[in-house]
Amino acid sequence: MANPTATVPSTSNPFGDELRGARTAKPCSLVIFGATGDLTKRKLVPSLMGLAKDGLLPPAFAVVGFARRPWTDDGFRTELADGVKSFGRPDTGTHFDALADAFSFHQSDFGETAGYQALAKKLDQIDRTRGTAGNRIFYLATPPSSYSAILQNLAATGLSTEKDGRFARVIVEKPFGRDIVTARALNDQVRAAFHERQVFRIDHYLGKETVQNILALRFANGIFEPLWNEKFVDHVQITVAESIGVGSRGGYFEESGIIRDMIQNHLMQVLTLVAMEPPAALAAEAVRDEKVKVLKAIRSFRPEEVDEATVRAQYTRASFAGEECKGYRDEEGVAKDSVTETYAAVRLQVNTWRWANTPFILRSGKRLPRRVTEVAIHFKQPPHLLFEGGKPLMPNVLLLRIQPDEGVALRFGAKVPGPDVRIRDVRMDFRYGTAFGGETADAYERLLLDAMLGDGTLFARGDEVEEAWRIVDSIVAGWKQSNRRPDDYACGTWGPERAERLLGAGRAWRKP
Amino acid sequence: MNGPTLVRTPHRQAEWKKIPEAMRALWRACLPEQDGGDVARSLTINFVGVAPAADQETLQWTVDRLQRRTPCRAFLLLLDEEAKVGTAELAATTRCHGSVRDIVLEEIVIRLPEQALAQMPGLVRPLLMNDLPNHLYWAAAWPQKAATFDAIAGLCDHAVVDSRRFVAPARDLLALRERRAAGRRITDLSWLRLRPWRRALAEAFERLAWATGTPASARIRHGRQGLAGAMLLGEWLRERIGARIDFDTGGDDAVVGPDTVVVRTAAFEVEIVARAPQLRVHVTTPEHCFLPFAVPSSRGTDGDLLGAAIDLGGSAA
């Protein structure tokens, strides 16, 4: 049999339009470092099978699991089959059965160069037997402490090098550092092995349909964008709330806190999509350039400003949802005198022509009443109040619900039927689940496909990550200098009282 | 947290002229039992389905599948020469998720002989929800009187047909083409079913150098259910690469669409064979025998395809 990678480039495929519309990726191998971990079983492989079900996997495709444990190919496949069955979309099990022989396991220590040399040979062999054409994607699904060794070895063995039209890409899981210094160091390590265009920093929030819908809502509709500025928007609230506590992750959480765990990445990403200027094109660099401009327009806090512009707090023991919940400082792995925040609210100002004087208020917390992620655009009052004796009405709110009950709602005032002129809030509601049905692809499906296609639009760029850390670092530095301990809030409440003052007069937090 | 559940009301009968009252009774039936509950209607299209009464179960299964992505008010017109006209059966399906309840399917089933279809526009038009797009799904053979199709299609912005059901595909596909040429938006599910074949051919030709004008031939093998699909694929190959087409009727009768396609020129051969759930593609040139590759052979059930057709809104062929 001849070399299958020796394809003849065609510039005149008479059926080429069939491929263009379908976002079909080129043949490739995916190497997952840390393949014995939960992420591979619960997310990555079930998502790959979702792509297979939708016909979106490349026709020639292979997965190599790379890990320290002494697993066999068969053991690896059995574990993955179980994962697809438990965590995959319905009917994806048959696709795994059909593709099972495309999965293999490679045992090696992450720091052992010989393991990478053997991996290179294995990938060459896969290219010959499965037609994967020398294209490789490396997925770092390991703790960040292993990144350095993996990246150095990929570079040392030439696996990160692109040549002869073959691509080599790396997908990096968050956290991207724990402050700007470590983020820069990580970026330097990544860039020593890969060019920025080869790097895909994954934040699964950006793969959610409803997050992408922020761009669609803003730029595919004529009615919203004219109002999307400081003339009409009073303020913006972005909330990521969780009802669970830190559970068994107390030790990890002590080192990060909610600001590093959620605000630096998920909330900042959502903020940039809400606040960015229209990009020149829906292309990776154009979108990411605009997102970075938003972050650059937020200046770092001076230490003395932090107490006034932020609130941090810890949950305390309380009865919540029918059970007695521990306070944060009673959780396993948490110091009794911990000052790590489980709730943070931050008032940011995007210093641009569009957003001057319109605060963006971000909050995230654990043990809040319910799990919800939303963006609430609060509009200004009408200039002249005709109704109800001129007293202020509830402001119009455009609500972008990211999870659960994904959708968009608009709150506005309507006349209550009857002889009196009274105004009551009503809501126009669009829900993804009802308009498009319940089964939507997992965020990882979209992001894995984009990485195969080389489309970085929904991935964080190095400078974006560093800018977000610059802002967060200035807050953390202010907290460190402050004498104020974190406030308390009871489990099952929407945070500490002091958070109300953050909004300013006449404004109130939503209780979603 | 558990996912949403679907709750369906029992069918209730109503005379045609009393359908609006019967629908109001249905909405009341969808309200939760506890005080203060509410129910919303989340319908995104009006849907008119036409099928032989013998296919009622299939049509209803398809509509159930459709409403998962496209909540609708559905008029199911079941062709039954024995049917007595004048009554309809109504039911509704509510999606319940926590305290949220949405009516996602309002179903009005009407049995009637084919000649009574002419009465349907007058009955259905006032019952269409306003400001929603109207889609017809003609899941029956092409009618003996084409005017019947035109009358029902005239209610709708877009028609979906399934030429797999056509008795004489050569003649009936021509009738479809004439209607498209006259501006009617029509999507054929047989064409959507060919998407994996078209993709497989496109992938195969990525490996080849193709020069316009190269003499080419294609052999398309199909079974009894595959004639219309084979003809559409043949027509497409003729248009794109000027291939001479041979049809081989000795294929698998259970396969909806072609079961094997071979495209040949002096310089290469592409063979695609249906082996559910995949199409296996073999590409051979005098110099290379490429490794076979596979693409999924199906993009889902008829309900999924119907949903895709409705999303396309008639922009597809």
Side-chain angles (χ1 to χ4, degrees), chain A residues 246-268:
Chain A
V246 295
S248 59
R249 295 171 71 227
Y252 163 79
F253 199 81
E254 275 285 89
E255 296 300 312
S256 60
I258 205 84
I259 197 154
R260 290 190 175 98
D261 199 37
M262 304 295 281
I263 292 181
Q264 186 275 339
N265 38 71
H266 302 326
L267 279 95
M268 288 287 188

Side-chain angles (χ1 to χ4, degrees), chain A residues 200-231:
Chain A
F200 295 77
R201 293 173 191 82
I202 202 163
D203 180 339
H204 71 273
Y205 253 59
L206 291 179
K208 289 178 184 293
E209 289 285 353
T210 37
V211 173
Q212 294 164 48
N213 191 46
I214 295 172
L215 292 182
L217 182 89
R218 290 189 58 195
F219 304 131
N221 297 288
I223 60 170
F224 298 116
E225 201 54 23
L227 307 179
W228 212 264
N229 57 58
E230 57 89 27
K231 284 193 180 64

Side-chain angles (χ1 to χ4, degrees), chain A residues 17-90:
Chain A
D17 55 326
E18 295 290 334
L19 298 177
R20 279 194 293 278
R23 286 171 58 84
T24 310
K26 288 184 178 171
C28 64
S29 301
L30 173 68
V31 180
I32 304 173
F33 291 94
T36 53
D38 259 5
L39 184 69
T40 307
K41 180 177 173 177
R42 286 170 174 263
K43 287 287 180 192
L44 301 184
V45 176
S47 296
L48 290 171
M49 291 308 106
L51 292 174
K53 181 184 177 187
D54 292 344
L56 295 171
L57 270 191
F61 181 68
V63 174
V64 178
F66 187 118
R68 297 186 192 101
R69 291 191 205 173
W71 285 13
T72 61
D73 286 349
D74 284 343
F76 184 49
R77 288 170 190 153
T78 305
E79 192 72 11
L80 298 182
D82 183 38
V84 172
K85 195 172 157 192
S86 304
F87 307 109
R89 282 203 266 150

Side-chain angles (χ1 to χ4, degrees), chain B residues 258-273:
Chain B
D259 77 4
T260 307
V261 173
V262 181
V263 178
R264 271 197 201 96
T265 68
F268 62 80
E269 178 181 287
V270 176
E271 182 188 47
I272 308 175
V273 183

Side-chain angles (χ1 to χ4, degrees), chain B residues 65-79:
Chain B
R65 186 79 193 169
L66 173 71
Q67 61 80 13
R68 293 183 199 187
R69 286 190 73 84
T70 315
C72 55
R73 176 175 286 182
F75 299 86
L76 306 186
L77 311 181
L78 300 172
L79 305 179

